[in-house]
Amino acid sequence: MTQLYHFHGGVHPPTHKNQSTRSPIATPPLPSKLVIPFHQHVGSMAKPLVQAGDYVFKGQLIGMPEDGLSSAIHASTSGTITEIGMQVVAHASGLPDLCATLIPDGNEAWIERERHNPITLPIDEIRHILRLAGIVGLGGAVFPSDAKLRGGKHHVRTIVLNGAECEPYITCDDMLMRQRARDIVRGGDIIRRVLGADEVLIGIEDNKPQAIAMMQEACVDRSSMRVIAVPTLYPGGGAKQLIRVLTGIEVAAGVRSTDKGVQCFNVATAYSIYRAVAFSEPLLSRIVTVTGNVQKPQNFEVLIGTPVDELVAWAGGKPDTTHHIMGGPMMGVALPNDQVSVVKACNCIIAASDALFPPAPPAMPCIRCTRCAEVCPQELQPQDLYWFAKSKNFGKAQEFHLFDCIECGACSYVCPSHIPLVQYYRFAKSEIWARDNDKKAADQARERHEFREYRIEREKQEKADKLAAKEKAALAAKQAAPVSDDAQQKIQAAMALAKQQAITPKNVSDLTPQQQAEIADIEARRANSQARAQSDAGT
Amino acid sequence: MISALLVMAGIAIVLGAVLGYAAIKFRVEGNPLVDKIDAVLPQTQCGQCGFPGCKPYATAIAAEEADINCCPPGGEEGIRKLAELLNKEFKPFGDNAKPKPKSVAYIDENTCIGCTLCIQACPVDAIVGAAKQMHTIIAADCTGCELCLAPCPVDCIAMNPIEETLSVWKWKYPVYALSPTP
Ligand code: SF4
Ligand code: SF4
Ligand code: SF4
């Protein structure tokens, strides 16, 4: 029995997970269209490689990763690209982003694929494959996996595979572990090999006994891999919380877990890593839980780009649905409409109705009961953060470690005054980021302005110097000329000077006698040939 | 007793020397207050405050010759920061100075005659072009100061408000009904 540790706080919201685990993962029919955004990951947007009218194969690269942190985008099935343009995407803002619209032809015609042996493939090659396969963290963070596998200055000893899935309603990782445990474990092997880690710990909350059993069976022959059941406690699936529970390592504020020798991957990411490396299958689909106000809550293997309304229809959406939530009820965001498409970050779609999610009672003033501080897994003081965010005192909020908040919503969940605390934290964070950017822009403008002033000053100085030099030369010429009051002479001197300045090219002044001789030689030859040309023309 | 006095006097002399040396070694060049104020100003260099740039306005504020509510691009937030820095009361904008939405200049490249007048006006060198060639604006460097509008003889420069995109989107301040305590 492994010793487990505890993290601070945590809550026990009703899990609602049983509804969607009754039937296995289903594959829905091809949707009528796919809308594939080019920016589904952390980092810069992928560069579109296709145009409207192009035919694409399933798995074809349609968005090239930019330099630096970025990831690739692929056609999820074969068909015709009908449009590259701005469309509303699955994001809380409801703003449009660049997307490719793909009309499937129904053939599912794959591009050519190769098989690789993940045990012998060079490590650089693996990273390259993952980058071009568009593999990103599927737990919701969508951080490019190739960057995570680059390893920092610290050696990673322990890999944590995150199968905790602590959020209510979501069961996609649970079903994946039940049905595809072997491939997850093989993905874990690849991660361990690339990072050169000693052990892989697979953390699964103890409310998923079937997933635990399947995973245990899958890694029974691996001494370096262990499945560990962790207590069910929200947010036990947070990376920092799971690392703490499994290893006892406290990842302090602003420190990366790799600095402590631990790196955390979601189980679905491990699965996709294996499929990409061994079978050249890019990230074209993911498991999505469709639950809430639907007739048949279930997990689907959904092509990236599938419209949410078609997906919900397969699960039997009920008419009194008010809106859809992407993610879980604690950390998810309300979708701007139900025509947006499934993206790589989308692990769950909850159809919301007033019966399931009654509108929050009106908020009341904070009574400083500190219940929020008791449950905060990051050991923050949510009531103080709320106060500072509300009064837009951002400096103070940062001082109280606002950026350590993982937006888990545990504090809002227990708040007796029903204050939407997390909304305040999100507001404060994005406001601080915007300010940082403004500050950077101002600094850049100041620098450019100062450089311009310096340049103008320098140009002025150069002009003045030139003028002074000219005056000096004129004076010298005047002195050299025979002193006479005759105006004619003066003018002649000035003209001579001007002539001399005008016709003496700079590049023949102060040459060595040898160079001058050469020039004379060339001139003579030139005159010679000119004369000959003339005489030729004459005859 | 004497030795104690000597020790204390010795310490005092040593510390005095250290302080004196530090005052020379680490002397702050320029006026630190002006720099602090300048750091808060948005560096648009637009002159809407009535001074020929951000630094001159900062100098005027430091000398108590200008009010803190004269910089429209800084917004109310800017006034708040200045008030905090200078320990003054917050003061709203007057009627003549109202902040506008952030914009960048855009040159209509079909109309531009390549006169270079706007290049000379731009305080941050955000316009590229040469005589009789079409000019264009480096949007990333443009501060939206509008100084290039007036010199253009063919009025081909327009200010376009910066659109909200996904990369600059911000979570809004939560607005919800606050029920009074009974
Ligand atoms: S739980 Fe709510 S009421 Fe209590 S201290 Fe926290 S924010 Fe205030
Ligand atoms: S949302 Fe942030 S402040 Fe609230 S409990 Fe979670 S980590 Fe703590
Ligand atoms: S391009 Fe025009 S508006 Fe932009 S910074 Fe230069 S002068 Fe100001």
Side-chain angles (χ1 to χ4, degrees), chain A residues 335-359:
Chain A
L335 289 175
N337 61 44
D338 54 7
Q339 280 97 54
V340 297
S341 57
V342 168
V343 288
K344 292 177 184 177
C346 174
N347 47 7
C348 178
I349 298 284
I350 304 178
S353 67
D354 285 345
L356 273 180
F357 299 97

Side-chain angles (χ1 to χ4, degrees), chain A residues 390-419:
Chain A
K390 190 180 168 183
S391 55
K392 304 190 187 171
N393 192 344
F394 300 123
K396 256 315 211 224
Q398 261 174 296
E399 232 173 80
F400 276 68
H401 307 294
L402 172 66
F403 282 97
D404 280 349
C405 166
I406 55 169
E407 300 176 18
C408 67
C411 50
S412 328
Y413 180 75
V414 296
C415 177
S417 291
H418 309 292
I419 303 174

Side-chain angles (χ1 to χ4, degrees), chain A residues 363 390 444 448 452 455, chain B residues 120 122 124-125 141 173 176:
Chain A
K390 190 180 168 183
Q444 192 187 339
R448 290 181 73 88
R452 177 187 154 90
R455 195 197 69 216
Chain B
Q120 291 159 39
C122 179
V124 290
D125 285 341
D141 287 330
Y173 190 75
Y176 60 93

Side-chain angles (χ1 to χ4, degrees), chain A residues 52-82:
Chain A
D54 287 0
Y55 180 83
V56 289
F57 289 101
K58 184 180 175 106
Q60 185 176 332
L61 189 70
I62 60 169
M64 190 71 173
E66 291 277 3
D67 290 347
L69 199 60
S70 185
S71 194
I73 301 291
H74 300 81
S76 314
T77 184
S78 61
T80 314
I81 302 280
T82 54

Side-chain angles (χ1 to χ4, degrees), chain A residues 364-375 381-384 386-387 410-419 421 425:
Chain A
M364 310 239 276
C366 170
I367 51 171
R368 297 195 72 82
C369 64
T370 66
R371 272 201 227 170
C372 47
E374 274 161 33
V375 299
Q381 298 292 325
Q383 75 281 14
D384 289 336
Y386 159 65
W387 185 252
C411 50
S412 328
Y413 180 75
V414 296
C415 177
S417 291
H418 309 292
I419 303 174
L421 294 164
Y425 308 149

